[in-house]
Amino acid sequence: MKKLLLTAALLPIGGMAAAQCAPDFTGVTLNVSTQNGPAIASALSAAAEVWEAKTCGTVNVIEFPFGELYPKFLTAMSQGTGDFDVIGFVPAWLPDFSPFLSTMPAALQEGSNWDDIHPTYRERLMVWDGEVKSATMDGDMHMLNLRADLLENPDEQKAFEAKYGYPLAAPVTWAQYRDQAEFFNRPDQGMYGTAEAYRRGGQQFWYFFSHAASYTNNPNNPGSMFFDPETMDAQINNPGWLRALEEYKDVLQFNPPGALNNGSGDVRPLYAGGTVAMNLDWADSGVLGSTEGVIDGYVRTAMLPGSTEIWNHKSKAWDTFPEVIHSPFLAFGGWQLGVPADSKNQEAAWDFVATVISPEVSGRAIVTANSGVNPYRFSHYDNLDAWSSIFSAEEAASYLGAQRASLDAPNVALDLRLPGFFSYTEVLEIELSKALAGEVEPQAALDAIAAEWNRLTDEFGRDTQLAAYRASVGLPPLK
């Protein structure tokens, strides 16, 4: 990176130097900050090399632990310190960050590169209060990662069907998921049934949400998963959430020892290394399993399991459906880039963002292990040649098919996005951890969360929060 800059500096002003700097940001240094790597930070560093060579500017990538990002970014932007030119953050924080972010230039909101971004990200997650305030640089959703060496083994198929009475295949319901976790749980052979994240601060609540979406994201009552979209009363202690928590806790027994201490970064090598039969995770597990694991060639991916029963908060009863309803949960929603309004280098900053999310640069990031970048463009899903460098044809079809099916699912569930997100999830993690550790009963934990969520909603302003929540789930304002 520095060598490229030195070469440019030695060239005479004008002539070749001018031709190399397009646009010319010589003398501009961008402070770009996100979580400590390799995930996301390494992708930004790789994109920085491209941008520096093109523009003759300089990029300084500043990394912080994930837990420090929200307060550091919000404090700096609200105080107008100008510390950051580009920030990499979570879509759930956009409601809080939006007042302090600049709006994406109109020129970036048109053309083939713009249209190439899947509308779920482009029209929902990048927008707040009617303005495009961020740019998706990573497409995220939870999926189920499986192993073909187990699913397609004739002996395993015969034994599974004899025990459970139906064929061994990708689980369609959470009950089937539990059956497989139990079946493949073989501690004496060094293999366990599944791996999920349970550690507080290890992104545990997104795993809980992935279970809960199947029982609470009712298609008959859109937007009712987290709150009542008419009153803003918390729904997190209803029977749908209770079933999800009980099942999330139940499969702990089929996880490797010490699972309560596992965060999302821990479940990936467990899958890639063949320690578990499957895991729940973002798309990172598939890439890691095929590039650095012992299951190369056997990576398979499926949509999250669904349910034929979903809680109806209005009728206070379970709605039963003739077919399994999949409610794939867009956990996290993918990393986003924003340009703070107090940045003194906004033009250069947005140009850097455009480089990061360009089809060419992002297309390399999605096939780089541990980059943390997962598909979010149509071209990412359609360019199968790019995936041949890491996947077999069967692996690529499974991996990309599960993600497209999740994004396109009629009952897809978007993550919680609300002002004060950090406050809501902090109490959630505290009580959730108590329930997982057996310190309190699941219902008591959920009741405590609901009470605190309702208190926070009143503190932030119930009408304001209700309007924001309805907007985040795609509902019109109440009349």
Side-chain angles (χ1 to χ4, degrees), residues 277-291:
M278 56 186 169
N279 79 355
L280 258 68
D281 191 25
W282 288 276
D284 307 77
S285 276
V287 175
L288 190 65
S290 188
T291 57

Side-chain angles (χ1 to χ4, degrees), residues 260-313:
L260 282 175
N261 295 317
N262 284 343
S264 61
D266 301 303
V267 306
R268 290 165 198 159
L270 289 172
Y271 169 74
T275 302
V276 296
M278 56 186 169
N279 79 355
L280 258 68
D281 191 25
W282 288 276
D284 307 77
S285 276
V287 175
L288 190 65
S290 188
T291 57
E292 299 184 12
V294 301
I295 58 172
D296 181 18
Y298 299 113
V299 171
R300 295 294 184 271
T301 315
M303 264 200 304
L304 289 179
S307 176
T308 57
E309 293 184 322
I310 306 179
W311 182 254
N312 186 321
H313 80 287

Side-chain angles (χ1 to χ4, degrees), residues 118-181:
H118 194 286
T120 299
Y121 300 110
R122 187 183 69 224
E123 298 171 7
R124 299 290 296 277
L125 298 182
M126 292 164 53
V127 177
W128 193 256
D129 200 21
E131 296 185 347
V132 180
K133 290 286 191 173
S134 60
T136 290
M137 67 160 291
D138 160 50
D140 270 343
M141 67 200 71
H142 267 172
M143 295 178 296
L144 185 59
N145 298 289
L146 307 159
R147 290 170 47 182
D149 59 324
L150 299 177
L151 292 179
E152 298 173 7
N153 183 300
D155 292 335
E156 301 287 10
Q157 291 174 338
K158 183 178 179 180
F160 182 89
E161 188 161 7
K163 182 173 183 178
Y164 295 100
Y166 63 92
L168 177 63
V172 177
T173 66
W174 288 104
Q176 292 179 1
Y177 167 73
R178 188 200 185 280
D179 286 347
Q180 281 196 30

